[in-house]
Amino acid sequence: MKAQIQVISASIAFTIIAIAVLVLFTQIYSHTGVSRSYEIVYDIPAILRQRPYWTAKDLAHTIINTTGAVYCYVSIKEMDLANNQVVSEDKYEISPLTIPEEQLYIRSFVYSKGTIMGTVLTYYIKVGYK
């Protein structure tokens, strides 16, 4: 009789502990301050390497079409190293009318590359995701 009471009380205790752990992990811990963040990463240098020279408009449209971004700002500046003067500058922006800039996740990139003409091309790119 004592053995049966011990088995019954042990099974009741195990059931209570199992229910408490189940409630703890499914109802309480799942609503705590744990957050997961996912960074959107697209290979902008790979897009730049597709062509030797870009216009700001072509690069902005290619980035929008390739990455699925909703906002893109491209500024391309060519500097002459011998004279330290700006040879050319090209800017272009694709911006959604319905989404304010505060609601976008914006990443900025700056890339430079030299040319055989003694100039440096600097690409300043801002890409925004919803």
Side-chain angles (χ1 to χ4, degrees):
M1 186 75 172
K2 284 186 180 182
Q4 289 176 344
I5 292 175
Q6 288 177 348
V7 169
I8 292 172
S9 64
S11 63
I12 291 172
F14 176 76
T15 305
I16 291 172
I17 291 173
I19 290 172
V21 168
L22 179 72
V23 168
L24 183 68
F25 282 105
T26 60
Q27 300 297 321
I28 298 172
Y29 283 161
S30 64
H31 299 290
T32 59
V34 176
S35 66
R36 295 182 181 139
S37 63
Y38 300 99
E39 185 172 351
I40 302 170
V41 178
Y42 291 103
D43 198 6
I44 301 295
I47 295 172
L48 285 173
R49 280 186 244 119
Q50 290 177 0
R51 294 191 206 169
Y53 296 102
W54 287 92
T55 64
K57 182 177 181 178
D58 289 342
L59 182 57
H61 282 288
T62 302
I63 289 172
I64 289 285
N65 294 335
T66 304
T67 63
V70 294
Y71 170 79
C72 186
Y73 171 79
V74 176
S75 173
I76 303 172
K77 187 184 290 187
E78 186 174 8
M79 293 281 296
D80 186 4
L81 293 177
N83 301 332
N84 198 21
Q85 294 179 342
V86 176
V87 176
S88 66
E89 190 169 3
D90 191 11
K91 296 179 182 179
Y92 191 77
E93 182 177 25
I94 299 173
S95 180
L97 298 175
T98 58
I99 305 170
E101 191 171 327
E102 298 84 29
Q103 293 180 0
L104 296 176
Y105 173 69
I106 295 179
R107 299 279 316 262
S108 297
F109 306 93
V110 178
Y111 299 102
S112 297
K113 71 177 184 178
T115 66
I116 60 171
M117 306 303 286
T119 61
V120 173
L121 289 169
T122 303
Y123 298 92
Y124 176 67
I125 302 166
K126 286 181 10 179
V127 182
Y129 303 96
K130 188 174 179 184

